[in-house]
Amino acid sequence: KKTTRNYNLWSLLFCACPTMEIVVNVFAHATALTLTLGIVWTASPSSTTLFPWHPALMAIAFLLLMPEAILLFSTHVSPLGSAARKTKSTVHWIVQTCSSVAFLLGLSAIVYNKYARDKSHFTSWHSWFGLASCVMAGIQSSCGAFLFYPKLVPCFTLKQLKMIHAVSGAVTFATSCSAVLLSCYSNWFVSQGYSTVVWYLFALGPVFLLAVISKQVYSSHFERSRNH
């Protein structure tokens, strides 16, 4: 029996070849680590000033821990390989908890820094998207508990809860990527004097990560459901 492969938009963007998807996913892991190390190195946090801890901790939270927690469920290149779904879920919430701790510390650093310098809070699009990312990530992490106790929300099946959690997680990550992109226009980042090429690498790296994660969510919860 012949089967006709469905070449949708995602297939055109990432190629239908499984090998290509593996390469893209490996590159996503490398991108997350490189971006994070780049921002931490640029910020160079120390005990002498508080502000550098903000970009460093936010990068660790939203560019490393959050995408890696999501990519644990990748069918191509998961850091846990072929481990059981339950194991991946446990590691996922542990990593997400670490991400929550990091962004709360990063948020505290910038809020206290503004307070100490008597400057106004939330005066840019970057700050508002950053705040939205923290709020959404906190809600997302808390609601993830329903996946362990689905009987608390009998109006949804476990499959529906997983889909809602995955989609809302992707939206949360998209918001954080927007905050990172907007940070590239901040006075602090511009003052680093990076070349145009490096600026675009920092700006477009999160966009690439978002595309990979969106593809993963689509394939796992929409394409698979349609094929079955």
Side-chain angles (χ1 to χ4, degrees):
K1 183 180 178 180
K2 292 184 177 181
T3 58
T4 303
R5 192 161 192 173
N6 180 29
Y7 290 91
N8 51 37
L9 177 61
W10 290 116
S11 297
L12 295 175
L13 288 175
F14 287 89
C15 297
C17 176
T19 302
M20 187 60 183
E21 291 198 14
I22 292 174
V23 172
V24 168
N25 276 265
V26 169
F27 193 62
H29 290 291
T31 300
L33 181 60
T34 303
L35 285 174
T36 303
L37 291 177
I39 293 177
V40 171
W41 180 82
T42 300
S44 299
S46 65
S47 58
T48 58
T49 180
L50 194 59
F51 175 79
W53 287 99
H54 169 67
L57 288 167
M58 288 304 196
I60 292 171
F62 290 116
L63 290 179
L64 182 62
L65 295 179
M66 181 176 286
E68 287 299 331
I70 298 173
L71 291 171
L72 284 171
F73 297 102
S74 171
T75 56
H76 298 287
V77 188
S78 170
L80 295 181
S82 57
R85 175 87 183 187
K86 185 176 181 180
T87 300
K88 291 182 178 181
S89 297
T90 301
V91 176
H92 171 79
W93 73 256
I94 292 174
V95 175
Q96 283 291 70
T97 300
C98 293
S99 174
S100 298
V101 172
F103 77 66
L104 286 174
L105 290 173
L107 179 62
S108 300
I110 190 62
V111 168
Y112 185 79
N113 184 72
K114 292 274 189 179
Y115 173 78
R117 295 174 179 271
D118 196 26
K119 290 187 176 182
S120 300
H121 298 277
F122 307 112
T123 58
S124 66
W125 282 109
H126 164 67
S127 61
W128 281 110
F129 270 85
L131 178 62
S133 300
C134 292
V135 172
M136 293 170 68
I139 295 174
Q140 175 73 2
S141 297
S142 300
C143 292
F146 291 130
L147 296 177
F148 292 97
Y149 306 100
K151 292 183 179 180
L152 295 175
V153 278
C155 52
F156 295 105
T157 64
L158 180 58
K159 182 178 180 180
Q160 290 173 327
L161 287 174
K162 288 181 178 180
M163 180 181 294
I164 293 171
H165 184 68
V167 173
S168 58
V171 172
T172 300
F173 185 64
T175 306
S176 66
C177 286
S178 299
V180 173
L181 178 58
L182 290 168
S183 73
C184 293
Y185 294 95
S186 66
N187 293 332
W188 172 78
F189 193 83
V190 173
S191 68
Q192 304 304 315
Y194 284 125
S195 66
T196 302
V197 173
V198 174
W199 187 92
Y200 273 106
L201 289 175
F202 274 112
L204 298 181
V207 177
F208 168 71
L209 286 175
L210 177 60
V212 174
I213 286 174
S214 298
K215 166 64 167 61
Q216 177 180 308
V217 172
Y218 175 80
S219 298
S220 298
H221 298 279
F222 293 95
E223 191 175 57
R224 189 177 298 174
S225 297
R226 186 178 57 188
N227 292 338
H228 288 80

